[in-house]
Amino acid sequence: HRFERPIDDVWAMVHDPESHIAKFTRMGHRDLEVLSQEQTDASLDLTIRRVVSVEVPSIAAKFIKPENTVTSTDHWERAADGTCSGHYEVDIKGAPAETKGSTSLQPAGDATDYTVKLDVRVKVPMVGDRIAKALKPQLEKQMQEEFAASEAWLAEH
């Protein structure tokens, strides 16, 4: 995703715990609770628990509920060269899924390129890979909602 804002502005957003809370709230997540937060000038570690409603493909309905308690743990850091990177894990309570990934922010002139790598594993014998593939459109939709919420935050700040 490309933010049409300089990397300093985008870093200020991802480095601010309030932007994460605002993002999830804009996405319709409920009952948000910050479980832990550690922040330095060059890093942020943040764990947030919330209730999330999602559309579940029929193949996954037996294993994943349409409403889930989700806990995300994010780590962001800014390098001396000004680039930013991070990693995250998402735990869906009671679901046999594991989600983790990495993030990076790179300057692109007056804009910033935001790259997200996502690894989803569904631990269900014989059908786990099919379930993970069926969830791909939902995950892509969630990413687009996150980008839109982040764009709204940047427009307001």
mmCIF file of all heavy atoms in Angstrom, residues 65-101:
data_model
loop_
_atom_site.group_PDB
_atom_site.id
_atom_site.type_symbol
_atom_site.label_atom_id
_atom_site.label_comp_id
_atom_site.label_asym_id
_atom_site.label_seq_id
_atom_site.Cartn_x
_atom_site.Cartn_y
_atom_site.Cartn_z
ATOM 1 N N LYS A 65 -15.572 -19.420 14.197
ATOM 2 C CA LYS A 65 -16.861 -18.777 14.445
ATOM 3 C C LYS A 65 -16.902 -17.409 13.739
ATOM 4 O O LYS A 65 -15.857 -16.807 13.498
ATOM 5 C CB LYS A 65 -17.067 -18.577 15.952
ATOM 6 C CG LYS A 65 -17.069 -19.869 16.750
ATOM 7 C CD LYS A 65 -17.234 -19.602 18.225
ATOM 8 C CE LYS A 65 -15.979 -18.905 18.735
ATOM 9 N NZ LYS A 65 -15.907 -18.728 20.167
ATOM 10 N N PRO A 66 -18.098 -16.902 13.467
ATOM 11 C CA PRO A 66 -18.202 -15.583 12.834
ATOM 12 C C PRO A 66 -17.859 -14.432 13.795
ATOM 13 O O PRO A 66 -17.569 -13.333 13.361
ATOM 14 C CB PRO A 66 -19.649 -15.492 12.372
ATOM 15 C CG PRO A 66 -20.365 -16.590 13.057
ATOM 16 C CD PRO A 66 -19.366 -17.595 13.525
ATOM 17 N N GLU A 67 -17.860 -14.689 15.102
ATOM 18 C CA GLU A 67 -17.470 -13.671 16.076
ATOM 19 C C GLU A 67 -16.413 -14.279 16.980
ATOM 20 O O GLU A 67 -16.619 -15.344 17.561
ATOM 21 C CB GLU A 67 -18.677 -13.216 16.892
ATOM 22 C CG GLU A 67 -18.354 -12.061 17.810
ATOM 23 C CD GLU A 67 -19.588 -11.469 18.431
ATOM 24 O OE1 GLU A 67 -20.273 -10.688 17.750
ATOM 25 O OE2 GLU A 67 -19.861 -11.819 19.595
ATOM 26 N N ASN A 68 -15.261 -13.587 17.090
ATOM 27 C CA ASN A 68 -14.120 -14.151 17.793
ATOM 28 C C ASN A 68 -13.437 -13.112 18.669
ATOM 29 O O ASN A 68 -13.421 -11.923 18.336
ATOM 30 C CB ASN A 68 -13.080 -14.668 16.788
ATOM 31 C CG ASN A 68 -13.630 -15.775 15.940
ATOM 32 O OD1 ASN A 68 -13.684 -16.912 16.374
ATOM 33 N ND2 ASN A 68 -14.060 -15.468 14.727
ATOM 34 N N THR A 69 -12.823 -13.586 19.735
ATOM 35 C CA THR A 69 -11.937 -12.747 20.525
ATOM 36 C C THR A 69 -10.548 -12.882 19.921
ATOM 37 O O THR A 69 -10.010 -13.988 19.809
ATOM 38 C CB THR A 69 -11.934 -13.175 22.002
ATOM 39 O OG1 THR A 69 -13.261 -13.028 22.512
ATOM 40 C CG2 THR A 69 -10.985 -12.319 22.817
ATOM 41 N N VAL A 70 -10.009 -11.746 19.500
ATOM 42 C CA VAL A 70 -8.730 -11.705 18.798
ATOM 43 C C VAL A 70 -7.737 -10.905 19.632
ATOM 44 O O VAL A 70 -8.067 -9.829 20.134
ATOM 45 C CB VAL A 70 -8.902 -11.048 17.412
ATOM 46 C CG1 VAL A 70 -7.577 -10.875 16.714
ATOM 47 C CG2 VAL A 70 -9.864 -11.866 16.551
ATOM 48 N N THR A 71 -6.534 -11.441 19.766
ATOM 49 C CA THR A 71 -5.458 -10.724 20.439
ATOM 50 C C THR A 71 -4.324 -10.553 19.438
ATOM 51 O O THR A 71 -3.840 -11.532 18.871
ATOM 52 C CB THR A 71 -4.952 -11.491 21.675
ATOM 53 O OG1 THR A 71 -6.049 -11.711 22.564
ATOM 54 C CG2 THR A 71 -3.855 -10.725 22.394
ATOM 55 N N SER A 72 -3.950 -9.293 19.206
ATOM 56 C CA SER A 72 -2.841 -9.024 18.295
ATOM 57 C C SER A 72 -1.678 -8.427 19.083
ATOM 58 O O SER A 72 -1.871 -7.597 19.970
ATOM 59 C CB SER A 72 -3.265 -8.070 17.174
ATOM 60 O OG SER A 72 -3.766 -6.862 17.707
ATOM 61 N N THR A 73 -0.487 -8.896 18.748
ATOM 62 C CA THR A 73 0.734 -8.379 19.351
ATOM 63 C C THR A 73 1.580 -7.815 18.221
ATOM 64 O O THR A 73 1.954 -8.535 17.297
ATOM 65 C CB THR A 73 1.490 -9.496 20.096
ATOM 66 O OG1 THR A 73 0.620 -10.031 21.097
ATOM 67 C CG2 THR A 73 2.757 -8.975 20.733
ATOM 68 N N ASP A 74 1.830 -6.506 18.297
ATOM 69 C CA ASP A 74 2.586 -5.806 17.257
ATOM 70 C C ASP A 74 3.894 -5.279 17.825
ATOM 71 O O ASP A 74 3.940 -4.791 18.964
ATOM 72 C CB ASP A 74 1.788 -4.608 16.733
ATOM 73 C CG ASP A 74 0.563 -5.018 15.953
ATOM 74 O OD1 ASP A 74 0.719 -5.284 14.761
ATOM 75 O OD2 ASP A 74 -0.529 -5.073 16.544
ATOM 76 N N HIS A 75 4.928 -5.349 17.009
ATOM 77 C CA HIS A 75 6.214 -4.740 17.336
ATOM 78 C C HIS A 75 6.628 -3.894 16.138
ATOM 79 O O HIS A 75 6.652 -4.383 15.014
ATOM 80 C CB HIS A 75 7.288 -5.798 17.620
ATOM 81 C CG HIS A 75 8.655 -5.200 17.736
ATOM 82 N ND1 HIS A 75 9.078 -4.567 18.880
ATOM 83 C CD2 HIS A 75 9.669 -5.097 16.843
ATOM 84 C CE1 HIS A 75 10.305 -4.118 18.683
ATOM 85 N NE2 HIS A 75 10.687 -4.429 17.458
ATOM 86 N N TRP A 76 6.918 -2.633 16.390
ATOM 87 C CA TRP A 76 7.420 -1.717 15.362
ATOM 88 C C TRP A 76 8.733 -1.124 15.849
ATOM 89 O O TRP A 76 8.891 -0.847 17.036
ATOM 90 C CB TRP A 76 6.435 -0.559 15.141
ATOM 91 C CG TRP A 76 5.313 -0.877 14.224
ATOM 92 C CD1 TRP A 76 4.040 -1.239 14.582
ATOM 93 C CD2 TRP A 76 5.343 -0.857 12.809
ATOM 94 N NE1 TRP A 76 3.279 -1.446 13.460
ATOM 95 C CE2 TRP A 76 4.049 -1.211 12.353
ATOM 96 C CE3 TRP A 76 6.319 -0.578 11.862
ATOM 97 C CZ2 TRP A 76 3.722 -1.291 11.002
ATOM 98 C CZ3 TRP A 76 5.992 -0.656 10.516
ATOM 99 C CH2 TRP A 76 4.715 -1.012 10.101
ATOM 100 N N GLU A 77 9.668 -0.909 14.911
ATOM 101 C CA GLU A 77 10.900 -0.219 15.267
ATOM 102 C C GLU A 77 11.386 0.615 14.096
ATOM 103 O O GLU A 77 11.101 0.299 12.937
ATOM 104 C CB GLU A 77 11.977 -1.182 15.741
ATOM 105 C CG GLU A 77 12.377 -2.230 14.733
ATOM 106 C CD GLU A 77 13.310 -3.275 15.332
ATOM 107 O OE1 GLU A 77 13.042 -3.770 16.443
ATOM 108 O OE2 GLU A 77 14.309 -3.576 14.674
ATOM 109 N N ARG A 78 12.073 1.692 14.440
ATOM 110 C CA ARG A 78 12.618 2.593 13.423
ATOM 111 C C ARG A 78 14.131 2.489 13.450
ATOM 112 O O ARG A 78 14.763 2.633 14.499
ATOM 113 C CB ARG A 78 12.183 4.023 13.683
ATOM 114 C CG ARG A 78 12.561 4.940 12.522
ATOM 115 C CD ARG A 78 11.680 6.129 12.432
ATOM 116 N NE ARG A 78 11.842 6.736 11.109
ATOM 117 C CZ ARG A 78 11.364 7.907 10.797
ATOM 118 N NH1 ARG A 78 10.665 8.606 11.678
ATOM 119 N NH2 ARG A 78 11.549 8.392 9.590
ATOM 120 N N ALA A 79 14.707 2.231 12.273
ATOM 121 C CA ALA A 79 16.153 2.087 12.146
ATOM 122 C C ALA A 79 16.808 3.467 12.018
ATOM 123 O O ALA A 79 16.145 4.469 11.735
ATOM 124 C CB ALA A 79 16.488 1.227 10.922
ATOM 125 N N ALA A 80 18.112 3.499 12.203
ATOM 126 C CA ALA A 80 18.864 4.750 12.115
ATOM 127 C C ALA A 80 18.729 5.402 10.739
ATOM 128 O O ALA A 80 18.781 6.631 10.627
ATOM 129 C CB ALA A 80 20.327 4.497 12.438
ATOM 130 N N ASP A 81 18.509 4.597 9.689
ATOM 131 C CA ASP A 81 18.367 5.171 8.343
ATOM 132 C C ASP A 81 16.963 5.714 8.075
ATOM 133 O O ASP A 81 16.673 6.199 6.977
ATOM 134 C CB ASP A 81 18.755 4.153 7.268
ATOM 135 C CG ASP A 81 17.790 2.966 7.179
ATOM 136 O OD1 ASP A 81 16.796 2.918 7.952
ATOM 137 O OD2 ASP A 81 18.040 2.078 6.340
ATOM 138 N N GLY A 82 16.087 5.641 9.077
ATOM 139 C CA GLY A 82 14.744 6.197 8.929
ATOM 140 C C GLY A 82 13.694 5.204 8.474
ATOM 141 O O GLY A 82 12.504 5.482 8.551
ATOM 142 N N THR A 83 14.101 4.034 7.986
ATOM 143 C CA THR A 83 13.128 3.021 7.591
ATOM 144 C C THR A 83 12.520 2.395 8.841
ATOM 145 O O THR A 83 13.091 2.484 9.929
ATOM 146 C CB THR A 83 13.767 1.928 6.716
ATOM 147 O OG1 THR A 83 14.802 1.290 7.459
ATOM 148 C CG2 THR A 83 14.319 2.507 5.414
ATOM 149 N N CYS A 84 11.374 1.785 8.677
ATOM 150 C CA CYS A 84 10.660 1.201 9.809
ATOM 151 C C CYS A 84 10.257 -0.221 9.458
ATOM 152 O O CYS A 84 9.933 -0.510 8.298
ATOM 153 C CB CYS A 84 9.407 2.016 10.115
ATOM 154 S SG CYS A 84 9.721 3.795 10.250
ATOM 155 N N SER A 85 10.272 -1.076 10.443
ATOM 156 C CA SER A 85 9.846 -2.454 10.206
ATOM 157 C C SER A 85 9.230 -3.008 11.472
ATOM 158 O O SER A 85 9.336 -2.421 12.545
ATOM 159 C CB SER A 85 11.036 -3.316 9.775
ATOM 160 O OG SER A 85 12.005 -3.360 10.810
ATOM 161 N N GLY A 86 8.587 -4.141 11.306
ATOM 162 C CA GLY A 86 7.964 -4.753 12.457
ATOM 163 C C GLY A 86 7.554 -6.178 12.193
ATOM 164 O O GLY A 86 7.802 -6.731 11.121
ATOM 165 N N HIS A 87 6.917 -6.732 13.191
ATOM 166 C CA HIS A 87 6.341 -8.070 13.060
ATOM 167 C C HIS A 87 5.135 -8.139 13.976
ATOM 168 O O HIS A 87 4.977 -7.323 14.891
ATOM 169 C CB HIS A 87 7.363 -9.166 13.379
ATOM 170 C CG HIS A 87 8.039 -9.017 14.702
ATOM 171 N ND1 HIS A 87 7.500 -9.502 15.870
ATOM 172 C CD2 HIS A 87 9.197 -8.407 15.053
ATOM 173 C CE1 HIS A 87 8.303 -9.220 16.880
ATOM 174 N NE2 HIS A 87 9.341 -8.549 16.414
ATOM 175 N N TYR A 88 4.267 -9.097 13.702
ATOM 176 C CA TYR A 88 3.040 -9.217 14.486
ATOM 177 C C TYR A 88 2.591 -10.662 14.527
ATOM 178 O O TYR A 88 2.975 -11.488 13.695
ATOM 179 C CB TYR A 88 1.924 -8.333 13.907
ATOM 180 C CG TYR A 88 1.551 -8.720 12.502
ATOM 181 C CD1 TYR A 88 0.518 -9.618 12.267
ATOM 182 C CD2 TYR A 88 2.254 -8.218 11.412
ATOM 183 C CE1 TYR A 88 0.196 -9.997 10.985
ATOM 184 C CE2 TYR A 88 1.929 -8.595 10.128
ATOM 185 C CZ TYR A 88 0.903 -9.484 9.912
ATOM 186 O OH TYR A 88 0.593 -9.867 8.641
ATOM 187 N N GLU A 89 1.771 -10.931 15.542
ATOM 188 C CA GLU A 89 1.114 -12.228 15.682
ATOM 189 C C GLU A 89 -0.334 -11.967 16.053
ATOM 190 O O GLU A 89 -0.628 -11.016 16.775
ATOM 191 C CB GLU A 89 1.782 -13.073 16.764
ATOM 192 C CG GLU A 89 3.179 -13.508 16.414
ATOM 193 C CD GLU A 89 3.794 -14.425 17.467
ATOM 194 O OE1 GLU A 89 3.037 -15.009 18.275
ATOM 195 O OE2 GLU A 89 5.026 -14.535 17.479
ATOM 196 N N VAL A 90 -1.214 -12.809 15.554
ATOM 197 C CA VAL A 90 -2.638 -12.690 15.857
ATOM 198 C C VAL A 90 -3.116 -14.025 16.399
ATOM 199 O O VAL A 90 -2.900 -15.061 15.769
ATOM 200 C CB VAL A 90 -3.451 -12.294 14.600
ATOM 201 C CG1 VAL A 90 -4.923 -12.209 14.923
ATOM 202 C CG2 VAL A 90 -2.943 -10.979 14.022
ATOM 203 N N ASP A 91 -3.741 -13.990 17.558
ATOM 204 C CA ASP A 91 -4.307 -15.188 18.172
ATOM 205 C C ASP A 91 -5.824 -15.061 18.156
ATOM 206 O O ASP A 91 -6.365 -14.067 18.640
ATOM 207 C CB ASP A 91 -3.813 -15.338 19.612
ATOM 208 C CG ASP A 91 -4.471 -16.515 20.306
ATOM 209 O OD1 ASP A 91 -4.305 -17.653 19.817
ATOM 210 O OD2 ASP A 91 -5.168 -16.299 21.315
ATOM 211 N N ILE A 92 -6.486 -16.031 17.565
ATOM 212 C CA ILE A 92 -7.950 -16.072 17.542
ATOM 213 C C ILE A 92 -8.354 -17.136 18.557
ATOM 214 O O ILE A 92 -8.130 -18.329 18.335
ATOM 215 C CB ILE A 92 -8.486 -16.413 16.144
ATOM 216 C CG1 ILE A 92 -7.963 -15.414 15.117
ATOM 217 C CG2 ILE A 92 -10.014 -16.440 16.152
ATOM 218 C CD1 ILE A 92 -8.238 -15.805 13.672
ATOM 219 N N LYS A 93 -8.930 -16.680 19.669
ATOM 220 C CA LYS A 93 -9.252 -17.589 20.771
ATOM 221 C C LYS A 93 -10.159 -18.727 20.295
ATOM 222 O O LYS A 93 -11.214 -18.495 19.702
ATOM 223 C CB LYS A 93 -9.940 -16.818 21.897
ATOM 224 C CG LYS A 93 -10.201 -17.644 23.122
ATOM 225 C CD LYS A 93 -10.829 -16.822 24.221
ATOM 226 C CE LYS A 93 -11.094 -17.677 25.429
ATOM 227 N NZ LYS A 93 -11.745 -16.890 26.477
ATOM 228 N N GLY A 94 -9.714 -19.956 20.543
ATOM 229 C CA GLY A 94 -10.515 -21.124 20.226
ATOM 230 C C GLY A 94 -10.475 -21.570 18.775
ATOM 231 O O GLY A 94 -11.075 -22.580 18.435
ATOM 232 N N ALA A 95 -9.767 -20.831 17.924
ATOM 233 C CA ALA A 95 -9.685 -21.225 16.507
ATOM 234 C C ALA A 95 -8.356 -21.928 16.249
ATOM 235 O O ALA A 95 -7.334 -21.536 16.800
ATOM 236 C CB ALA A 95 -9.811 -20.005 15.611
ATOM 237 N N PRO A 96 -8.376 -22.941 15.392
ATOM 238 C CA PRO A 96 -7.143 -23.676 15.109
ATOM 239 C C PRO A 96 -6.303 -22.975 14.042
ATOM 240 O O PRO A 96 -5.823 -23.588 13.097
ATOM 241 C CB PRO A 96 -7.665 -25.021 14.603
ATOM 242 C CG PRO A 96 -8.934 -24.662 13.903
ATOM 243 C CD PRO A 96 -9.528 -23.532 14.723
ATOM 244 N N ALA A 97 -6.163 -21.650 14.173
ATOM 245 C CA ALA A 97 -5.434 -20.879 13.171
ATOM 246 C C ALA A 97 -4.279 -20.143 13.831
ATOM 247 O O ALA A 97 -4.359 -19.735 14.986
ATOM 248 C CB ALA A 97 -6.360 -19.892 12.493
ATOM 249 N N GLU A 98 -3.220 -19.984 13.057
ATOM 250 C CA GLU A 98 -2.051 -19.237 13.502
ATOM 251 C C GLU A 98 -1.751 -18.195 12.439
ATOM 252 O O GLU A 98 -1.628 -18.517 11.258
ATOM 253 C CB GLU A 98 -0.869 -20.196 13.650
ATOM 254 C CG GLU A 98 0.428 -19.557 14.030
ATOM 255 C CD GLU A 98 1.540 -20.598 14.105
ATOM 256 O OE1 GLU A 98 1.603 -21.314 15.113
ATOM 257 O OE2 GLU A 98 2.324 -20.684 13.135
ATOM 258 N N THR A 99 -1.665 -16.939 12.844
ATOM 259 C CA THR A 99 -1.390 -15.860 11.902
ATOM 260 C C THR A 99 -0.230 -15.041 12.431
ATOM 261 O O THR A 99 -0.225 -14.634 13.591
ATOM 262 C CB THR A 99 -2.619 -14.943 11.739
ATOM 263 O OG1 THR A 99 -3.732 -15.731 11.349
ATOM 264 C CG2 THR A 99 -2.378 -13.886 10.692
ATOM 265 N N LYS A 100 0.757 -14.819 11.570
ATOM 266 C CA LYS A 100 1.880 -13.957 11.924
ATOM 267 C C LYS A 100 2.432 -13.361 10.638
ATOM 268 O O LYS A 100 2.115 -13.818 9.537
ATOM 269 C CB LYS A 100 2.944 -14.717 12.697
ATOM 270 C CG LYS A 100 3.526 -15.916 11.989
ATOM 271 C CD LYS A 100 4.487 -16.647 12.903
ATOM 272 C CE LYS A 100 4.967 -17.930 12.232
ATOM 273 N NZ LYS A 100 5.915 -18.649 13.080
ATOM 274 N N GLY A 101 3.225 -12.340 10.807
ATOM 275 C CA GLY A 101 3.773 -11.709 9.622
ATOM 276 C C GLY A 101 4.757 -10.616 9.944
ATOM 277 O O GLY A 101 5.163 -10.432 11.099
#
